[in-house]
Amino acid sequence: MARSGPQGEMTEYRKIVIKRDLEMGVVMTVFRQKAERLTVQVIMETRQVAWTRTADKTDGVLDLSEIREVRPGRNSKDFERFKDGKDKHNDNTCFTIFYGSQFVLNTLSLGADSVDEAQKWLTGLELLREETLAAPTPVLIESWLRKQMYSVNQTKKNSLSVKELKALLPLLNYKVPCSRTLKDKLQEVGVKKDRLDFEQFHKFYNLMMFEQNEILDEFKREACSFILGNTDKPDASAVLLHDFQRFLIYDQKEPWANDLNQVRELMTIFIDDTMRKTNDPEFTVSEFLSFLFSKENSIWDEKFSEINNLDMNNPLSHYWISSSHNTYLTGDQLLSESSTEAYVRCLRWGCRCVELDCWEGPGEPIIYHGWTRTTKIKFEDVVKAINDHAFVASDFPLILSIEEHCPIEQQRQMARIFKDVFGDKLLAEPVEQLAEQLPSPMQLRGKIILKHKKVNMEGGATAKDFRKGQKQGDLDIWDPVDQRWNRHYCVISDDKLYYAEECEEEDEDPRKYQDLHCSEPWFHGRIQEGRLMAERLIHDYCAETGGQDGTFLVRQSDRYVTDFTLSFWRTGRVQHCRIRSSTDGGHAYFFLTPNLHFPSVYSLIEHYRENPLRCQDFELRLTEAVPKPDPHLQERWFYSNLSRGQAEDYLLRIPRDGAFLIRQREGEPDSFAITFRGDGKVKHCRIQKEGSVYLLGTTTEFESLVELVNYFKKKPLYRKIKLRYPVTPELVERFSANENCSSIYMETYVKPNEIEPSLPQNTVRALYSYQAKRPDELSFTKGAMIHNVSKEVDGWWKGDYGGRLQLFFPANYVEEVSNSAQTDAKAQEMEDNPLGELCKGIVEISMYNIQNMKNGKYRKPHVLTLQHKEQDSVQFDLAAGSLEELFEWYQVAWDVTQREMSKQYHREQEIKQQEEVEKKAEVAMEMSDLVVYCQPRSKEKDRFDNYNYKEVRSFMENKIPGKSRTKEFLCYNRKALSRIYPKNQRVESSNFDPYPLWEVGCHMVALNYQTADKYTQLNSALFSLNGNSGYVLQPEMMRSDGYDPHQEKKKVKYSIRVKVIAARHLPKPGRSIASPFVEVELCGHSEEKFKTIVYRDNGLNPVWKAPAEPVEFSVFEPELSFLRFVVNEEDMFSDPNFLAQATLPVKGIRSGYRSVPLKNGYNEKLDLAALLVYINVQQAGRAEEELYSSSSQLRKKQAEHSEPFLYDTHSNLQRVALPHPHGQLVRESSERHRSKEKKINNSKFYT
């Protein structure tokens, strides 16, 4: 984060002045599509940065907590658009805010009017960001509530109407209660005249959260360490000071809580009434609940996040090192963008080994994924970005893993750039000349190490890579469904043509956007009785809604074919304006006034919704749109009289995932159904009209069916499938007329994506044993396979087991499994597929004859047709951009069909050719001289009888030494470095499980950081240890000769008991309200898993009452085990969708009733999102310490020691005094078991 100077030198007064100035705001230049002068200010109440055009309308906001970097200078892509010299801002008056929670960050690039102003914002934003991250939970809740209030009330009047409240609740992931319940709650908080001020809104929030009060049943049991007070109301007094102290000492195992002053200070943070912040504070129910869910009560022990400098003095080969694969990519390995910002993101996450794929560029080296359509970036730009951010997150050494494809001359350029940019940071000489082992991270602090071929290592250099396929590039493929050409990335490999999903054209056709208005609710097309009907529609709408000036609609002009008419409401009557059209350079444009032109009607309307329409007599901004009455009736995908069977028949004729139609359900005027193709099957989903809204599922609302369709054209409706192909009567007729039409399609498009039915269908495996409690339930043992499962409601499914058919069983006792043969076949298919998961279709070229269509086809001049040898009606049309390009594809395809028998010959020739290139290739001495420690070894890297500590061996994930060689591999890893990277088939940038590599001592397990999945989350969890420095010392036992990871799986060292109780503030999935469930998993030597039931339609404050007892996990290797919480939501198809997660190293987990702060897939924190769990971590074989886990047993034990008694302040019950000798008892117990503890270092574990 950019700083103007050390924050410690800034006086409190200076901080106050800077924050006041930022809150007042200043006019700056905002660099977006165009440079605009906007007011930029910090809103302290909501902890946001806002930029506004006018005082009453905010153009955009970003949260201070989302800021990842404030970068000085013109150092973002936004500034590149303004290099023409027109912009007068100097480099030192500009800065960019990088913000967001995804891998690719958003940017707000700003130009201040002076250097002092820019410096003030750089300093102030960093100061406010740090304050926000450190703010206590109650402060964050208040900011969040204000943010929600202002989101529906832009005027920031500190109040909102009941109507606005009802609209807000679904946005908070909370289903609006029935009118009676809502009215009671509003009365309870004192609402009058249908408006809530902020204090009332805050009370209403507390009431909503108090619905979780069954959580408090946990603290009313006999074993509880204190007696809970009145829990009838959220503001009732519940927990007194000494009760809370007992809770912290006995339940939470907090040794610091023996100091009553520290307990008092903690309580004061959560008490929102100043009058109650006394020397004898007490919690209300609401405050106690807030504490339980707060970050101050986190499950994670922050001391394990601190850096331990004493652990940084071992050789590099004793550490796990945070490593990235193909660091430059922002997405998949085939089509995504390469970016210097990807390096910045990984480095600021603490990554210590990044990869550079260097290729020959025009006059200078470039970086990209060779032989693919990923974009190219300059090598020098990457090196500069690395230099700027290398040691922001960590001071310890950074390794650059260089994949070299450049000729000698450009390698010399690379060496010069490395030396010029890195200077003294670049390690060019050994730390110790006579050393026999690698230096330590501490010795290499602040150094950049190059991993690159060194000439004297093997006497040769890296070979030039050959393409994986025989031919690859872009082709247009004719789509018989859409009757159009689509651009696809294609590869011919192993006698097959593989093609990815269609690509969007880089050069946008302006005409593409001219029809955008057609799907908007305000566009009514051609209206009968045009002007009169428009006035009637607007009159009726305004009478219903209150008649806001600017209410409008757009229709086609009655008189002019290419023009439109804008009709709007102003001062009690309807007025009309003509939207004129004209052309310039063959492109149409539209305007109301001759001096302001727009490329489409849509952009014109959007402009006047943000900016006023100015005339001589008035100035007016367009506001509410008058929707078209039943707009779906004019859509070709809507059927008013179609049965379910007919709909399925239509969809089966057009078997393309994403094909869809909507039909009126028979005999139900307010009920509809969407029928669509997904995963090769026809599916139906009910849509219910309630009042003026259309409800999909239980909580997803739309104003019209057209809006629903447009929404799911952009967002997946089912799994990853969007609505793409409307099934119109014309399309059905065309496919019906040609009976082979669908078979053509099936051959070319559907076959690769079809799902083979597993036998038997829907099989699950039992995670736990279950004994039936009713005649209609199944009994089974752990590991049992239950078949033909159907998912019922309320967490109970039906299935077959042990000869008993279709009986109920609890869903949270099982996990779904797929047919193994099918899984293995699919895995092998992906292994051989050069496009991996991105592949959308495969054509067996050897099954076709190749025809060159000399006269072209379907309006394309250069076309090849693949004609099936056995089915004359099946053909596949490909088009290239030029005759030369077409000839290249023709030649390769023709070779496949004609010379199928000579594959082996061609492979042998290719190998010989590659060997010849290997002999000729060289490494520039300038590059070789910069390589000191990380010298790659490619020959005989599987042999471990001879190696040097300076070398590094790289293995593809599926080529690592086998289990029989684990001991040799471990010995090698203690001395020298190893790097593991994903296999080539992971084209979609998926990741492999790093755990098996970590447990055999592999140091640099390189993952695709741009992919948010379980394995990058495990990686983040491991490297959250040791101050996020990117280096974690492997356990001492792993560095001993007797270590065997396979034997470690047999020794249980710890047990963990977990119970998921509740959640708060879960992320919202799209437009629907979440129906969450939680999976708890122990990742390590074992893969134990447990999941809760689904809690329907509540993502704000769900509570799970079952199971009543905690689940127990066995920990075999505590130094390398992770407890993982995943919150999913079950959608309307009973499919799980990821919401949030928390992955934690077991060694840093705290026992008690704990908050689990949740993060997104990229391990970025989610505002206030948390689980409440009960957790107890115990060392195996020390069950006697359970003696101290309950209050009743403590009383008995302390009574034997004649402890004095105190009276309980709630009920005059006698309670024992705080047991000061408690720590002594634990120490004595520890003393008895010291011999066991010597086997592993457990000094950091739980007391």
Side-chain angles (χ1 to χ4, degrees):
M1 191 67 66
R3 298 171 187 257
S4 60
Q7 293 288 333
E9 296 177 5
M10 198 185 306
T11 63
E12 285 301 317
Y13 174 74
R14 176 66 180 151
K15 290 179 184 178
I16 292 168
V17 170
I18 288 176
K19 288 193 283 188
R20 184 197 63 199
D21 289 350
L22 266 60
E23 189 172 17
M24 291 289 292
V26 67
V27 175
M28 285 196 258
T29 302
V30 179
F31 295 89
R32 296 189 287 185
Q33 294 300 322
K34 57 183 180 179
E36 298 179 275
R37 298 287 286 171
L38 301 177
T39 300
V40 183
Q41 65 182 131
V42 172
I43 304 170
M44 294 296 183
E45 287 180 317
T46 61
R47 297 181 180 266
Q48 291 176 306
V49 178
W51 49 103
T52 57
R53 196 182 310 274
T54 58
D56 62 337
K57 188 174 190 304
T58 301
D59 272 35
V61 294
L62 65 91
D63 292 344
L64 288 168
S65 61
E66 280 193 313
I67 295 177
R68 305 295 170 229
E69 180 190 0
V70 184
R71 191 181 301 172
R74 301 173 69 98
N75 293 321
S76 76
K77 273 191 171 182
D78 299 329
F79 292 106
E80 291 178 8
R81 303 188 186 96
F82 305 96
K83 287 185 176 179
D84 52 10
K86 293 179 183 178
D87 174 53
K88 304 300 181 186
H89 283 85
N90 295 325
D91 192 69
N92 56 4
T93 62
C94 294
F95 61 95
T96 301
I97 303 172
F98 288 81
Y99 67 98
S101 297
Q102 301 302 302
F103 183 77
V104 178
L105 296 176
N106 304 311
T107 57
L108 178 65
S109 296
L110 302 165
D113 291 344
S114 68
V115 175
D116 288 345
E117 193 69 55
Q119 199 59 50
K120 184 195 300 177
W121 276 80
L122 285 166
T123 306
L125 286 173
E126 170 62 6
L127 176 69
L128 289 169
R129 189 189 76 91
E130 289 179 354
E131 282 186 4
T132 300
L133 294 177
T137 300
V139 173
L140 296 178
I141 289 174
E142 181 169 336
S143 297
W144 180 83
L145 286 169
R146 290 196 183 275
K147 186 165 64 174
Q148 305 312 314
M149 176 178 271
Y150 294 161
S151 70
V152 294
N153 185 351
Q154 290 276 331
T155 58
K156 300 182 177 59
K157 290 181 179 176
N158 265 335
S159 71
L160 77 167
S161 67
V162 173
K163 182 181 177 181
E164 288 169 333
L165 177 67
K166 286 181 180 179
L168 176 62
L169 291 180
L171 301 179
L172 306 186
N173 236 339
Y174 184 82
K175 193 170 184 178
V176 180
C178 67
S179 299
R180 180 73 249 173
T181 306
L182 183 62
K183 188 176 179 181
D184 290 345
K185 279 186 166 64
L186 292 173
Q187 282 181 347
E188 194 169 340
V189 300
V191 172
K192 296 176 182 177
K193 297 183 181 179
D194 284 345
R195 290 201 75 82
L196 295 82
D197 59 25
F198 179 73
E199 187 178 346
Q200 290 168 333
F201 181 49
H202 202 315
K203 287 181 179 176
F204 183 84
Y205 167 81
N206 287 340
L207 275 179
M208 283 196 303
M209 298 322 240
F210 180 65
E211 289 173 0
Q212 291 175 319
N213 62 358
E214 56 262 50
I215 295 172
L216 300 171
D217 294 343
E218 289 280 328
F219 306 101
K220 295 178 180 177
R221 296 179 302 174
E222 173 65 21
C224 186
S225 60
F226 69 99
I227 295 177
L228 199 61
N230 179 14
T231 60
D232 293 341
K233 293 184 178 181
D235 56 356
S237 176
V239 184
L240 306 187
L241 174 63
H242 289 280
D243 291 336
F244 188 55
Q245 185 181 35
R246 277 191 286 273
F247 170 70
L248 292 174
I249 292 173
Y250 299 134
D251 290 318
Q252 308 299 83
K253 311 288 193 298
E254 298 283 15
W256 58 265
N258 283 298
D259 183 345
L260 195 61
N261 284 329
Q262 290 190 50
V263 178
R264 189 178 288 116
E265 286 174 18
L266 178 61
M267 291 185 75
T268 304
I269 291 172
F270 290 86
I271 294 173
D272 60 3
D273 182 357
T274 311
M275 299 297 291
R276 292 193 293 112
K277 292 183 179 181
T278 64
N279 283 334
D280 196 18
E282 53 189 61
F283 272 158
T284 64
V285 179
S286 180
E287 289 160 351
F288 183 56
L289 284 173
S290 289
F291 166 76
L292 290 176
F293 280 95
S294 71
K295 62 182 181 180
E296 289 81 359
N297 185 40
S298 174
I299 191 173
W300 179 245
D301 190 340
E302 286 297 332
K303 73 182 180 187
F304 289 93
S305 295
E306 297 168 4
I307 195 160
N308 186 348
N309 285 318
L310 294 176
D311 280 349
M312 302 306 283
N313 296 307
N314 286 47
L316 279 184
S317 55
H318 289 182
Y319 295 84
W320 291 302
I321 304 171
S322 180
S323 304
S324 160
H325 170 251
N326 286 359
T327 313
Y328 47 89
L329 291 178
T330 57
D332 64 63
Q333 310 281 313
L334 189 63
L335 304 167
S336 68
E337 183 182 358
S338 305
S339 172
T340 56
E341 293 302 331
Y343 285 94
V344 176
R345 194 83 165 109
C346 292
L347 290 170
R348 296 181 82 92
W349 269 337
C351 183
R352 294 291 84 194
C353 176
V354 297
E355 186 172 11
L356 291 77
D357 282 4
C358 305
W359 293 79
E360 181 180 7
E364 60 180 321
I366 57 173
I367 287 179
Y368 86 114
H369 198 202
W371 311 113
T372 69
R373 290 182 70 246
T374 56
T375 58
K376 303 173 176 69
I377 49 179
K378 292 180 181 178
F379 171 82
E380 186 169 8
D381 289 346
V382 169
V383 174
K384 288 178 178 177
I386 291 172
N387 184 60
D388 290 342
H389 300 271
F391 301 109
V392 172
S394 171
D395 291 336
F396 295 102
L398 174 65
I399 299 169
L400 306 188
S401 179
I402 299 167
E403 190 176 304
E404 186 64 87
H405 304 273
C406 291
I408 301 301
E409 282 307 312
Q410 291 203 353
Q411 287 187 44
R412 292 195 177 101
Q413 284 187 52
M414 290 169 59
R416 176 186 57 77
I417 291 168
F418 276 139
K419 288 192 281 189
D420 290 349
V421 175
F422 291 152
D424 293 340
K425 296 176 189 171
L426 185 64
L427 185 76
E429 297 289 338
V431 175
E432 297 178 41
Q433 294 291 344
L434 302 177
E436 295 182 357
Q437 63 181 15
L438 287 165
S440 70
M442 192 63 80
Q443 288 175 294
L444 294 167
R445 206 166 188 170
K447 290 295 182 183
I448 296 174
I449 303 167
L450 300 187
K451 171 184 167 288
H452 186 277
K453 198 74 163 183
K454 195 169 180 71
V455 169
N456 63 2
M457 188 71 182
E458 295 177 35
T462 320
K464 293 281 183 183
D465 278 11
F466 286 89
R467 299 183 181 207
K468 179 173 178 59
Q470 294 152 300
K471 174 68 179 168
Q472 40 194 314
D474 290 337
L475 282 174
D476 290 319
I477 299 177
W478 179 251
D479 184 339
V481 176
D482 278 351
Q483 294 280 293
R484 70 178 187 189
W485 293 98
N486 290 319
R487 177 66 55 87
H488 297 259
Y489 187 78
C490 302
V491 177
I492 293 180
S493 177
D494 299 327
D495 296 351
K496 297 182 182 74
L497 172 71
Y498 301 85
Y499 56 92
E501 192 169 354
E502 54 262 34
C503 321
E504 291 186 12
E505 295 293 333
E506 290 182 11
D507 299 323
E508 296 284 5
D509 183 352
R511 291 171 296 182
K512 174 181 174 182
Y513 298 102
Q514 287 185 5
D515 294 332
L516 279 176
H517 61 275
C518 295
S519 60
E520 290 298 311
W522 43 257
F523 183 66
H524 289 238
R526 190 171 298 282
I527 302 179
Q528 289 183 350
E529 304 179 58
R531 188 184 184 97
L532 289 173
M533 179 56 73
E535 290 180 359
R536 195 178 308 147
L537 287 169
I538 294 176
H539 266 291
D540 292 347
Y541 185 81
C542 288
E544 186 181 331
T545 60
Q548 184 180 2
D549 277 5
T551 301
F552 74 101
L553 63 80
V554 177
R555 56 192 170 87
Q556 286 183 307
S557 173
D558 298 331
R559 298 181 183 178
Y560 306 96
V561 177
T562 59
D563 290 357
F564 300 84
T565 301
L566 169 64
S567 304
F568 56 90
W569 181 264
R570 187 179 79 86
T571 59
R573 65 191 185 95
V574 179
Q575 294 183 234
H576 307 272
C577 285
R578 179 179 164 194
I579 301 174
R580 301 170 185 268
S581 66
S582 187
T583 56
D584 181 19
H587 299 311
Y589 63 88
F590 302 86
F591 60 94
L592 286 174
T593 57
N595 60 337
L596 194 55
H597 296 172
F598 299 91
S600 66
V601 176
Y602 175 83
S603 57
L604 180 148
I605 296 299
E606 287 302 299
H607 174 81
Y608 288 114
R609 294 183 87 165
E610 294 185 1
N611 304 283
L613 170 62
R614 292 185 173 90
C615 298
Q616 281 186 338
D617 303 330
F618 65 87
E619 186 174 293
L620 174 135
R621 185 184 287 121
L622 299 181
T623 55
E624 290 193 53
V626 178
K628 190 164 39 175
D630 294 332
H632 57 269
L633 296 176
Q634 298 170 30
E635 297 293 339
R636 305 296 292 161
W637 41 254
F638 180 75
Y639 294 82
S640 58
N641 189 19
L642 193 72
S643 69
R644 179 187 176 108
Q646 288 172 310
E648 290 183 0
D649 181 54
Y650 282 10
L651 268 294
L652 288 170
R653 296 185 200 188
I654 305 160
R656 182 106 181 240
D657 281 352
F660 74 97
L661 59 84
I662 293 182
R663 56 189 172 84
Q664 182 99 37
R665 297 183 75 212
E666 298 171 89
E668 299 182 50
D670 289 335
S671 187
F672 305 84
I674 182 167
T675 304
F676 64 97
R677 288 280 301 205
D679 285 345
K681 301 170 187 173
V682 177
K683 296 185 175 290
H684 306 269
C685 195
R686 182 174 175 176
I687 304 166
Q688 189 67 34
K689 187 177 182 184
E690 295 185 357
S692 62
V693 299
Y694 293 83
L695 199 63
L696 181 68
T698 57
T699 60
T700 312
E701 295 181 355
F702 298 92
E703 291 182 5
S704 69
L705 293 178
V706 173
E707 186 194 9
L708 181 149
V709 168
N710 290 335
Y711 178 79
F712 287 114
K713 281 182 176 180
K714 298 172 186 174
K715 305 278 187 181
L717 170 65
Y718 172 70
R719 295 184 179 170
K720 294 184 179 179
I721 297 163
K722 303 173 186 176
L723 300 183
R724 298 184 61 181
Y725 307 103
V727 177
T728 63
E730 295 80 9
L731 193 63
V732 174
E733 186 178 348
R734 174 153 54 86
F735 274 76
S736 301
N738 180 358
E739 65 179 72
N740 289 318
C741 199
S742 61
S743 65
I744 296 172
Y745 188 104
M746 288 289 286
E747 179 69 18
T748 59
Y749 280 81
V750 174
K751 190 175 180 180
N753 294 328
E754 283 192 329
I755 298 176
E756 295 294 327
S758 58
L759 296 174
Q761 291 187 343
N762 298 336
T763 298
V764 298
R765 179 188 293 111
L767 294 171
Y768 316 101
S769 297
Y770 180 74
Q771 183 62 43
K773 296 176 175 59
R774 290 172 32 167
D776 61 349
E777 292 179 4
L778 277 180
S779 295
F780 48 80
T781 56
K782 181 177 179 179
M785 304 297 283
I786 305 170
H787 300 302
N788 298 323
V789 173
S790 60
K791 298 179 179 179
E792 305 293 324
V793 294
D794 298 330
W796 288 85
W797 294 353
K798 282 183 177 179
D800 306 343
Y801 175 68
R804 306 191 71 198
L805 306 180
Q806 292 303 292
L807 297 181
F808 286 98
F809 61 91
N812 58 325
Y813 275 65
V814 300
E815 65 176 356
E816 295 185 62
V817 296
S818 57
N819 181 270
S820 58
Q822 176 191 338
T823 304
D824 294 345
K826 186 174 180 182
Q828 187 58 48
E829 186 181 330
M830 285 297 105
E831 186 80 22
D832 298 335
N833 192 321
L835 298 181
E837 294 286 349
L838 296 181
C839 181
K840 294 300 174 188
I842 306 169
V843 179
E844 293 267 5
I845 297 176
S846 58
M847 301 290 291
Y848 292 79
N849 292 317
I850 315 298
Q851 300 175 11
N852 178 14
M853 310 303 289
K854 294 182 179 178
N855 297 323
K857 194 173 181 181
Y858 301 131
R859 301 180 304 283
K860 288 277 188 183
H862 312 299
V863 178
L864 284 181
T865 294
L866 277 62
Q867 184 74 48
H868 201 280
K869 292 178 180 178
E870 297 176 2
Q871 302 176 41
D872 292 340
S873 61
V874 176
Q875 51 184 229
F876 199 76
D877 297 311
L878 312 168
S882 67
L883 188 61
E884 294 78 10
E885 190 182 350
L886 186 77
F887 179 71
E888 289 180 21
W889 285 98
Y890 174 82
Q891 205 169 28
V892 175
W894 187 85
D895 286 347
V896 170
T897 59
Q898 299 300 311
R899 291 185 283 179
E900 194 175 2
M901 301 304 295
S902 58
K903 287 181 188 173
Q904 189 59 37
Y905 169 79
H906 286 301
R907 288 199 188 101
E908 290 171 2
Q909 293 302 308
E910 199 173 292
I911 291 168
K912 287 180 183 177
Q913 193 176 0
Q914 188 161 335
E915 287 174 351
E916 289 175 12
V917 174
E918 266 187 329
K919 291 176 185 175
K920 294 176 183 177
E922 298 175 2
V923 170
M925 287 305 297
E926 291 87 341
M927 274 301 299
S928 179
D929 291 344
L930 298 178
V931 181
V932 181
Y933 291 118
C934 295
Q935 302 172 12
R937 174 168 174 171
S938 56
K939 292 180 180 177
E940 297 183 332
K941 63 182 180 183
D942 289 339
R943 294 185 59 182
F944 299 112
D945 51 352
N946 181 29
Y947 50 84
N948 185 300
Y949 74 89
K950 291 183 179 181
E951 71 180 60
V952 59
R953 300 191 186 185
S954 295
F955 299 91
M956 196 180 288
E957 60 170 287
N958 54 350
K959 304 290 184 185
I960 61 169
K963 284 187 177 180
S964 62
R965 310 191 61 200
T966 297
K967 201 147 192 164
E968 297 171 68
F969 197 24
L970 275 163
C971 285
Y972 167 83
N973 281 331
R974 290 185 201 113
K975 185 80 172 175
L977 296 175
S978 60
R979 179 177 181 269
I980 316 297
Y981 58 94
K983 62 186 179 183
N984 294 334
Q985 286 71 29
R986 294 190 182 275
V987 186
E988 73 285 9
S989 295
S990 62
N991 285 302
F992 57 95
D993 186 355
Y995 187 88
L997 291 313
W998 289 335
E999 71 173 351
V1000 293
C1002 294
H1003 313 92
M1004 295 174 280
V1005 181
L1007 300 179
N1008 291 305
Y1009 275 46
Q1010 70 272 32
T1011 301
D1013 60 16
K1014 174 181 175 178
Y1015 303 124
T1016 49
Q1017 290 152 18
L1018 282 174
N1019 193 68
S1020 294
L1022 174 64
F1023 291 104
S1024 66
L1025 298 168
N1026 202 27
N1028 206 36
S1029 64
Y1031 286 83
V1032 173
L1033 183 64
Q1034 295 172 0
E1036 188 175 346
M1037 62 179 179
M1038 283 186 65
R1039 308 195 297 271
S1040 67
D1041 293 338
Y1043 175 71
D1044 182 351
H1046 307 306
Q1047 288 298 317
E1048 292 299 318
K1049 296 180 184 180
K1050 300 176 182 178
K1051 305 172 188 172
V1052 177
K1053 300 191 176 73
Y1054 278 82
S1055 67
I1056 302 178
R1057 300 177 74 228
V1058 186
K1059 178 183 177 181
V1060 177
I1061 300 171
R1064 279 191 177 183
H1065 294 281
L1066 297 178
K1068 185 172 165 60
R1071 293 176 66 130
S1072 61
I1073 294 172
S1075 294
F1077 65 94
V1078 182
E1079 288 183 340
V1080 187
E1081 179 182 9
L1082 183 70
C1083 304
H1085 280 303
S1086 65
E1087 290 288 329
E1088 297 179 80
K1089 190 184 287 188
F1090 158 80
K1091 61 182 178 182
T1092 68
I1093 60 171
V1094 176
Y1095 195 104
R1096 295 289 171 195
D1097 300 335
N1098 187 345
L1100 182 65
N1101 56 354
V1103 180
W1104 288 276
K1105 299 178 184 177
E1109 294 303 316
V1111 179
E1112 187 162 329
F1113 296 108
S1114 298
V1115 180
F1116 295 92
E1117 181 38 74
E1119 290 280 349
L1120 195 55
S1121 291
F1122 306 88
L1123 192 62
R1124 177 173 157 79
F1125 299 87
V1126 182
V1127 185
N1128 291 305
E1129 72 107 15
E1130 187 175 273
D1131 65 17
M1132 66 188 82
F1133 305 103
S1134 297
D1135 281 343
N1137 296 303
F1138 174 84
L1139 289 180
Q1141 58 86 30
T1143 308
L1144 307 156
V1146 164
K1147 65 189 289 183
I1149 289 174
R1150 301 195 294 178
S1151 292
Y1153 292 93
R1154 293 293 181 181
S1155 165
V1156 182
L1158 295 171
K1159 301 181 179 182
N1160 71 359
Y1162 291 104
N1163 242 48
E1164 299 283 13
K1165 292 177 182 176
L1166 296 167
D1167 282 352
L1168 301 175
L1171 296 175
L1172 178 64
V1173 302
Y1174 169 75
I1175 186 162
N1176 187 21
V1177 184
Q1178 265 199 323
Q1179 191 171 343
R1182 296 177 70 175
E1184 63 202 33
E1185 289 191 10
E1186 278 291 308
L1187 177 64
Y1188 305 102
S1189 65
S1190 76
S1191 177
S1192 58
Q1193 289 168 324
L1194 275 165
R1195 293 189 202 112
K1196 181 179 176 182
K1197 185 73 179 176
Q1198 289 164 341
E1200 292 172 6
H1201 288 270
S1202 303
E1203 293 282 353
F1205 282 78
L1206 293 177
Y1207 280 91
D1208 183 83
T1209 47
H1210 280 301
S1211 58
N1212 293 333
L1213 292 175
Q1214 287 185 332
R1215 306 282 294 231
V1216 296
L1218 299 178
H1220 299 291
H1222 174 72
Q1224 182 184 346
L1225 291 173
V1226 173
R1227 283 196 294 275
E1228 290 169 2
S1229 177
S1230 301
E1231 204 56 50
R1232 290 196 297 273
H1233 293 274
R1234 186 168 294 171
S1235 59
K1236 291 184 181 179
E1237 291 179 351
K1238 285 183 179 177
K1239 294 180 182 176
I1240 60 169
N1241 180 12
N1242 290 322
S1243 60
K1244 296 177 183 177
F1245 274 81
Y1246 323 91
T1247 59

